[in-house]
Amino acid sequence: MVETEPDLDCETPLIAQNKSDMEESDFHEVYDQDTGWSDHHPDHDDPNVECLRRKIKYYFMNPCEKYHARGRKPWKLMLQLVKIAIITIQLVSFGLSNQMVVMFKEENLMTFKHLFLKDYTDGSMDTYAVYRQDDVYDHIDYVIEQFGLLHNTTVGNHEYEKKGPVYTPLSLCQDFYRNGSIFPGNETFEIDAQVETDCIKVYPHQSPRDVLPHFELHFKRMLSVQITFVLKAINLQTVRHRELPDCYDFTVVITFNNKAHSGRLKIDLESDVVINECRDWKVTGAAAKSIYVTVMFDCIIIATCVVSFTLCTRSVLTGIQLQSEYTLHCRKHSNKQVPWTDRREFINGWYILIIVSDTMTIIGSILKIEIQTKLLTSYDVCSIFLGIGTMFVWIGVIRYMGYFRQYNILILTLRAAFPNVIRFIGCAGIIYLSYCFCGWIVLGPYHEKFRTLNTVSECLFSLINGDDMFPTFKNMKQKSSLVWTFSRVYLYTFVSLFIYMILSLFITIITDTYDTIKQMQQSGTPTSDLQRFLSECQDLPNSGVYRLDEKKNLCFWSCCGKRNNPEPLTSEA
């Protein structure tokens, strides 16, 4: 029988929780004692109020207390534990498979750089460039020549793309301004900003000598030269893991970048990958892993997440309805509004986290099934959904650890400090951004780490954590004494402000919140209107008043007022 939340009609059985359990609840906000529950003077003779009090207390019970109260097994807890196990298995399986894909793509990219870039060495991509016109022609000639000699040079299983009986040719394109007359000596120029593209096709085994004489580079007007071709390969390493190999289409793009017109043509090589299912295959000597088993496992995960999503959504809706009932009760009996902090207690953030986790896992599992059936190749998108889903489902375990006092105080501290932390980060972030913009505009021309806003932010964040301090100071160029002096003042003030002041204030916020929560737990005094309202109910979970009397249905009659003298319930504990 699946554990259910308390019904919100009059048929809900009476529920309770002892006062000591309330000391371990997640309520943490401290309110003014002048606005306490002293105005509410609970009427124990009013069965509607007592029924509402028990319904709310049952809602805030942990799974063990609910089991003692109504005998319902904690199916939701067991479902979450099972879901953690199967989702983790799914993630590890997908990660190992994705690791082989990433490795194959990275090694092929490195192979293409060594095959088609002249005199290339590992790690030299940032400085790989040409400076003379003859070198540009030599590098283009080298790429075309190596493309034609692919079968004789590569040690991999690379092949040209073939459409019908014809191989796909290599494309050599040049982007340049339509017209232009540039005379730096006279400091005059005339330029037409319209960009034109000139392309030629080169088929495999075609000699560069037959192509380059008909291809002229306009260096003064040239923006870039792009060489594009497609190669095919098969990832055979998956055979060792009893998975069927995939067929890959690598679109290789070699770019000669001259947009700066500085006399330095930067050369870059990139490859886009398309993964397809091989048309015809035969594997002997090894039994291929059935894809249907993996797909079935993913379908089980989807079904589990759907059930979890449904149960948690129902619990959230139950909390919202209980919040409405409690708000109506306070407006009716005390004629005042319920504080936002009390209203927020009915919205369980852990359920919201589980709902988001289930949604991410369902979407990721669907994408994973489509990837396995070769309908999609979005490994990155699938990884994001599965990764976030798994991260959230593991974070959700903290909810159950909070039922222990030793862990509960840590969770309550994080929860109570979160609003102040967000406000603190907002203020500190303004100061941080001001330093980012100032460092970028002033130090950017003189320091490599301040060239872009992204690198400035990364550099300053590293300084906050005490990393890379000495190189940041040392690598500052001394071409301008004014800027060099400013850099010293800038860096010293930033380090002193953030490390010695802002971080210390941040730690103080967490420490003060921890002390406050600890004192609240030690005092055991209800600190909110909601806590004082619930503390009036002294029934233990195993007292029996939370169980439905099948013969008399006393809660129904007492809540609806159809019986004036209901028979007392006996304990079934």
Side-chain angles (χ1 to χ4, degrees):
M1 186 175 183
V2 180
E3 177 193 352
T4 59
E5 297 294 337
D7 298 329
L8 299 180
D9 54 17
C10 294
E11 298 180 0
T12 304
L14 296 176
I15 50 178
Q17 182 181 18
N18 58 25
K19 184 175 181 179
S20 61
D21 294 330
M22 287 305 303
E23 298 175 9
E24 297 181 13
S25 67
D26 290 343
F27 307 136
H28 58 275
E29 298 289 348
V30 179
Y31 301 103
D32 187 1
Q33 297 297 330
D34 295 336
T35 61
W37 194 257
S38 58
D39 300 333
H40 292 197
H41 299 297
D43 185 6
H44 294 283
D45 296 331
D46 189 349
N48 294 322
V49 175
E50 291 300 316
C51 186
L52 175 62
R53 184 176 286 114
R54 290 192 178 101
K55 285 197 297 184
I56 296 176
K57 292 192 73 172
Y58 181 81
Y59 177 77
F60 288 115
M61 287 182 182
N62 61 49
C64 295
E65 292 170 341
K66 289 181 178 181
Y67 174 74
H68 290 298
R70 302 186 60 181
R72 302 293 176 85
K73 295 181 174 60
W75 295 108
K76 193 184 302 181
L77 170 60
M78 292 186 287
L79 179 65
Q80 296 302 322
L81 296 178
V82 171
K83 192 177 70 173
I84 289 175
I86 59 179
I87 287 179
T88 304
I89 294 174
Q90 179 197 45
L91 182 74
V92 172
S93 175
F94 179 76
L96 294 176
S97 178
N98 191 28
Q99 183 179 358
M100 290 187 292
V101 174
V102 173
M103 183 183 302
F104 187 73
K105 292 192 294 185
E106 290 181 349
E107 291 186 354
N108 273 274
L109 178 62
M110 187 62 63
T111 299
F112 297 149
K113 290 180 180 179
H114 282 276
L115 286 178
F116 300 108
L117 297 183
K118 186 176 181 181
D119 300 329
Y120 174 79
T121 58
D122 291 337
S124 63
M125 207 69 228
D126 293 337
T127 59
Y128 193 77
V130 291
Y131 303 89
R132 294 178 294 184
Q133 296 183 8
D134 292 341
D135 291 338
V136 177
Y137 283 108
D138 289 342
H139 279 74
I140 296 176
D141 181 85
Y142 183 83
V143 172
I144 297 175
E145 181 180 1
Q146 293 300 313
F147 177 74
L149 300 176
L150 180 66
H151 288 161
N152 299 329
T153 56
T154 181
V155 295
N157 55 8
H158 300 98
E159 181 59 80
Y160 304 113
E161 184 185 38
K162 199 172 185 180
K163 295 182 178 179
V166 181
Y167 289 110
T168 302
L170 174 149
S171 175
L172 175 60
C173 296
Q174 174 188 190
D175 295 332
F176 55 91
Y177 293 119
R178 179 182 298 174
N179 291 307
S181 300
I182 303 173
F183 303 99
N186 300 332
E187 298 181 351
T188 60
F189 70 92
E190 180 181 356
I191 196 75
D192 186 349
Q194 295 294 326
V195 178
E196 293 185 348
T197 302
D198 183 18
C199 295
I200 61 173
K201 305 294 183 181
V202 181
Y203 288 89
H205 312 299
Q206 187 175 359
S207 174
R209 298 183 182 88
D210 300 333
V211 177
L212 292 182
H214 306 285
F215 187 77
E216 181 183 0
L217 298 177
H218 309 283
F219 287 100
K220 290 188 176 182
R221 294 182 290 146
M222 185 180 69
L223 295 174
S224 64
V225 175
Q226 283 192 344
I227 303 176
T228 307
F229 53 91
V230 179
L231 298 178
K232 304 179 75 69
I234 300 176
N235 186 5
L236 296 177
Q237 64 176 329
T238 58
V239 175
R240 303 194 311 270
H241 302 276
R242 299 188 297 121
E243 294 183 11
L244 292 178
D246 294 322
C247 291
Y248 289 68
D249 293 346
F250 292 95
T251 301
V252 183
V253 180
I254 302 175
T255 303
F256 296 76
N257 190 348
N258 191 42
K259 294 180 180 180
H261 291 88
S262 60
R264 180 175 184 262
L265 262 70
K266 295 182 291 185
I267 303 177
D268 188 25
L269 186 148
E270 296 179 351
S271 66
D272 295 329
V273 182
V274 177
I275 305 175
N276 303 309
E277 184 179 8
C278 296
R279 298 178 182 178
D280 189 14
W281 54 269
K282 182 179 180 181
V283 179
T284 59
K289 188 189 302 181
S290 177
I291 188 176
Y292 298 103
V293 176
T294 307
V295 172
M296 182 61 66
F297 182 72
D298 293 332
C299 291
I300 293 174
I301 292 178
I302 293 175
T304 304
C305 292
V306 169
V307 175
S308 174
F309 180 90
T310 303
L311 294 177
C312 292
T313 302
R314 185 190 62 181
S315 298
V316 172
L317 296 177
T318 300
I320 294 174
Q321 291 181 332
L322 284 175
Q323 179 195 89
S324 301
E325 287 192 18
Y326 176 70
T327 303
L328 182 62
H329 165 78
C330 293
R331 188 181 300 116
K332 180 180 178 181
H333 289 75
S334 61
N335 194 24
K336 71 175 185 179
Q337 296 294 329
V338 178
W340 166 247
T341 48
D342 280 358
R343 297 168 64 92
R344 191 178 58 190
E345 297 294 344
F346 291 92
I347 308 300
N348 195 322
W350 296 113
Y351 288 146
I352 302 297
L353 185 70
I354 294 175
I355 289 173
V356 175
S357 171
D358 292 335
T359 303
M360 292 288 185
T361 303
I362 291 172
I363 297 175
S365 298
I366 294 174
L367 293 176
K368 182 173 179 288
I369 292 175
E370 293 182 347
I371 289 175
Q372 290 171 341
T373 56
K374 310 307 177 185
L375 297 177
L376 288 177
T377 58
S378 304
Y379 278 88
D380 295 337
V381 178
C382 182
S383 299
I384 291 174
F385 280 105
L386 290 181
I388 295 177
T390 306
M391 179 180 67
F392 283 171
V393 77
W394 274 96
I395 293 177
V397 179
I398 301 178
R399 174 196 175 212
Y400 301 103
M401 298 177 64
Y403 295 133
F404 302 95
R405 175 177 290 272
Q406 292 81 358
Y407 300 102
N408 189 43
I409 189 173
L410 299 178
I411 298 172
L412 294 181
T413 300
L414 294 176
R415 179 183 175 186
F418 184 75
N420 291 331
V421 168
I422 294 299
R423 288 189 287 268
F424 178 83
I425 291 177
C427 296
I430 296 175
I431 303 176
Y432 184 82
L433 288 177
S434 66
Y435 270 88
C436 285
F437 287 116
C438 179
W440 173 52
I441 196 64
V442 178
L443 305 182
Y446 300 93
H447 202 298
E448 183 179 358
K449 295 182 180 180
F450 291 83
R451 293 290 167 81
T452 64
L453 281 174
N454 185 42
T455 57
V456 172
S457 179
E458 293 172 354
C459 176
L460 295 183
F461 190 79
S462 299
L463 291 177
I464 293 176
N465 291 276
D467 297 333
D468 210 25
M469 280 195 178
F470 180 73
T472 303
F473 280 88
K474 181 181 178 181
N475 294 338
M476 182 66 195
K477 297 179 181 179
Q478 301 186 20
K479 293 183 178 180
S480 172
S481 58
L482 177 62
V483 175
W484 185 87
T485 304
F486 174 84
S487 69
R488 264 45 194 170
V489 176
Y490 172 87
L491 293 175
Y492 279 120
T493 56
F494 177 82
V495 171
S496 302
L497 179 63
F498 274 85
I499 292 182
Y500 302 124
M501 294 181 61
I502 294 181
L503 287 184
S504 298
L505 290 175
F506 181 81
I507 296 173
T508 302
I509 292 176
I510 304 296
T511 305
D512 290 345
T513 306
Y514 178 83
D515 293 337
T516 303
I517 297 297
K518 191 174 181 180
Q519 292 175 3
M520 289 169 52
Q521 287 196 340
Q522 291 175 351
S523 64
T525 304
T527 57
S528 68
D529 291 350
L530 179 59
Q531 285 182 319
R532 283 187 283 272
F533 173 73
L534 296 179
S535 63
E536 297 297 329
C537 182
Q538 302 296 330
D539 298 319
L540 298 174
N542 58 357
S543 62
V545 296
Y546 294 93
R547 297 176 182 267
L548 178 63
D549 188 357
E550 298 178 354
K551 296 181 180 180
K552 303 296 183 179
N553 197 8
L554 297 181
C555 184
F556 172 80
W557 295 106
S558 63
C559 289
C560 295
K562 294 186 179 181
R563 289 181 59 101
N564 296 325
N565 298 310
E567 297 180 8
L569 289 173
T570 58
S571 175
E572 301 179 22

